[in-house]
Amino acid sequence: SRNSGQFYVRSTSATLRMMRTLARRMASEQVWDQSAYSQEGLWPALGLKGRVGSRVSLRVLSYACFCNTKWFFRHLLNEPTWRHHRPVSVHTNYHPEKQQRMQAIFNHYHVAEGKGDWAALRRWSGTEGSRRACGGGGGGGFRGGREQLLPDEMVELSSRGPWLFHNLPPRTPAQLLAAPDAAGRAGAFAAVRFLPGGGVAVGSVEEEPRALAAAPAGVRARGGAPLVHGGSWSVEGQALRLRLGEEDYTAFRRGRALICARCSDGVEVFARYEGLACNTSGWHRLRPSEAQSGVATTVAGAKAWRWQGRHDFTFHADGRLDTPWHKGVWGVAPERGERFIFARFANIDHLLHVADKSRIESTRCEDGDKVTVSRW
């Protein structure tokens, strides 16, 4: 949903209707306020039957002038041409150290009138905590938000698509500043696959159709071979130890993303998985012969499940699936093990791990997004 932490509302009949509708929904529905805000603004554009919305007109403010701290700390601070840019506002909504980062931004633009210590801003990581070199079992600026890294899963994902690395090898702001033009400052992209036994395959974007489709137009136009070759990887706890070319990195995974820090100086580089999170080739609607399997009897029945604790889901014993958005189907996923099923609704596939009789862990196959489904 759109993040409604920062918006401008004109005084019109349509916006008054929208605010009254939101107040009513907040008082009578179990709905996240930001989801309701998005729905009331976007339902007319989606043309969903029975969902009229508030019929307001939406415009998106410039992200460089009205930015959040994700864009501020990941992009503005790392691009020399933005150094003298002064945002209208910065919404400190993305990182856990909200107060400290807000104070650093305020000191730079207000106390020092934009002439503060740029290094004091850049000490903050684009993810969590401060930039620092690897070591001591941590590495990078990473603390919370990590997902468990499973070597077999990394290999399996890589068999269906690459991880698209940005700005590899990473350049420091000084190196970016020395680049002669925008093309020279643009990061080098590489398609990386994790191989069994700790090997790494590094290829060009052109060799990977899904990576090519996801890369910026400038990267597709320039093409060329990646600037790094070969490497190795291993998993230590929740951290991924990665060597690409001649440099070492430590990384953690968050959904479809890998967030890496170069061990020598803490400079960050990001990667996004561009394959499919699931192998759906053998999935089919639940058959009568499968209805009495252990996992099927666990999830099916009259008692509903609740998606993210808010939206009711019902798995019927004949393979039908009821959701608040669309009717769907479900079935077992035996290739993943006896505790896995799949759900398909709105033309989107989800792989569900049935942890126990009251909790299901869902992974959206399209982008790896994870949510919890609980019984009530």
Side-chain angles (χ1 to χ4, degrees), residues 7 12 23 50-51 57 82 94 108 114 122 144 148 150 198 212 214 266 277 279 282 291 309 325 337 347 371:
F7 55 88
T12 67
R51 296 180 175 179
S57 297
W82 290 105
Y94 184 73
H108 180 78
R122 292 206 72 256
Q148 184 178 10
L150 302 175
L212 183 63
N279 179 7
W325 306 287
N347 293 320
V371 301

Side-chain angles (χ1 to χ4, degrees), residues 254-329:
R254 181 177 288 165
R256 202 177 178 86
L258 278 180
I259 305 169
C260 315
R262 185 163 57 183
C263 292
S264 59
D265 55 11
V267 173
E268 293 169 335
V269 60
F270 302 93
R272 176 180 167 84
Y273 179 62
E274 297 301 343
L276 293 173
C278 315
N279 179 7
T280 64
S281 59
W283 290 0
H284 54 263
R285 178 172 168 170
L286 189 72
R287 295 167 177 165
S289 60
E290 301 166 331
Q292 299 304 313
S293 65
V295 67
T297 56
T298 298
V299 300
K303 195 170 183 180
W305 295 78
R306 186 157 285 173
W307 190 270
Q308 288 187 307
R310 290 189 290 270
H311 310 293
D312 290 348
F313 265 57
T314 302
F315 297 87
H316 295 281
D318 59 358
R320 290 179 297 115
L321 175 65
D322 292 337
T323 82
W325 306 287
H326 295 270
K327 299 290 186 181
V329 298

Side-chain angles (χ1 to χ4, degrees), residues 49-278:
K49 184 177 180 181
R51 296 180 175 179
V52 178
S54 298
R55 301 185 295 282
V56 294
S57 297
L58 297 180
R59 300 292 185 271
V60 179
L61 297 171
S62 168
Y63 59 81
C65 297
F66 302 87
C67 57
N68 71 352
T69 42
K70 178 179 181 179
W71 187 84
F72 184 89
F73 285 103
R74 285 194 182 181
H75 300 283
L76 186 147
L77 294 186
N78 293 307
E79 175 52 65
T81 58
W82 290 105
R83 183 160 185 169
H84 301 293
H85 174 69
R86 187 185 181 108
V88 177
S89 63
V90 180
H91 184 196
T92 51
N93 65 327
Y94 184 73
H95 302 90
E97 316 87 6
K98 292 181 173 59
Q99 181 178 350
Q100 297 91 328
R101 290 180 186 249
M102 184 188 300
Q103 189 65 55
I105 295 169
F106 180 85
N107 289 343
H108 180 78
Y109 288 109
H110 291 276
V111 176
E113 293 295 328
K115 300 177 182 178
D117 185 0
W118 193 252
L121 284 176
R122 292 206 72 256
R123 75 181 180 88
W124 291 107
S125 165
T127 53
E128 298 174 15
S130 301
R131 298 177 187 265
R132 59 184 182 272
C134 308
F142 317 138
R143 289 205 305 270
R146 305 181 183 194
E147 294 181 12
Q148 184 178 10
L149 277 162
L150 302 175
D152 290 344
E153 183 182 15
M154 296 297 290
V155 171
E156 182 185 357
L157 290 173
S158 294
S159 70
R160 293 196 292 273
W163 297 80
L164 181 60
F165 275 73
H166 302 228
N167 191 25
L168 188 69
R171 269 85 54 82
T172 64
Q175 292 169 324
L176 288 170
L177 189 61
D181 52 27
R185 289 194 300 272
F189 284 60
V192 175
R193 292 178 185 255
F194 297 94
L195 305 178
V200 172
V202 183
S204 67
V205 173
E206 289 97 328
E207 296 171 341
E208 301 281 1
R210 292 184 64 87
L212 183 63
V219 174
R220 297 197 295 269
R222 287 194 303 274
L227 300 180
V228 297
H229 300 279
S232 60
W233 67 283
S234 63
V235 173
E236 299 178 13
Q238 291 181 314
L240 175 68
R241 304 299 183 186
L242 180 61
R243 184 171 181 81
L244 291 173
E246 301 299 320
E247 297 186 303
D248 295 316
Y249 302 83
T250 186
F252 74 90
R253 181 181 172 190
R254 181 177 288 165
R256 202 177 178 86
L258 278 180
I259 305 169
C260 315
R262 185 163 57 183
C263 292
S264 59
D265 55 11
V267 173
E268 293 169 335
V269 60
F270 302 93
R272 176 180 167 84
Y273 179 62
E274 297 301 343
L276 293 173
C278 315

Side-chain angles (χ1 to χ4, degrees), residues 344-361:
R344 180 177 294 143
F345 56 94
N347 293 320
I348 298 176
D349 291 319
H350 301 256
L351 179 66
L352 281 63
H353 173 228
V354 183
D356 53 46
K357 294 182 178 180
S358 60
R359 184 170 61 89
I360 296 175
E361 299 161 350

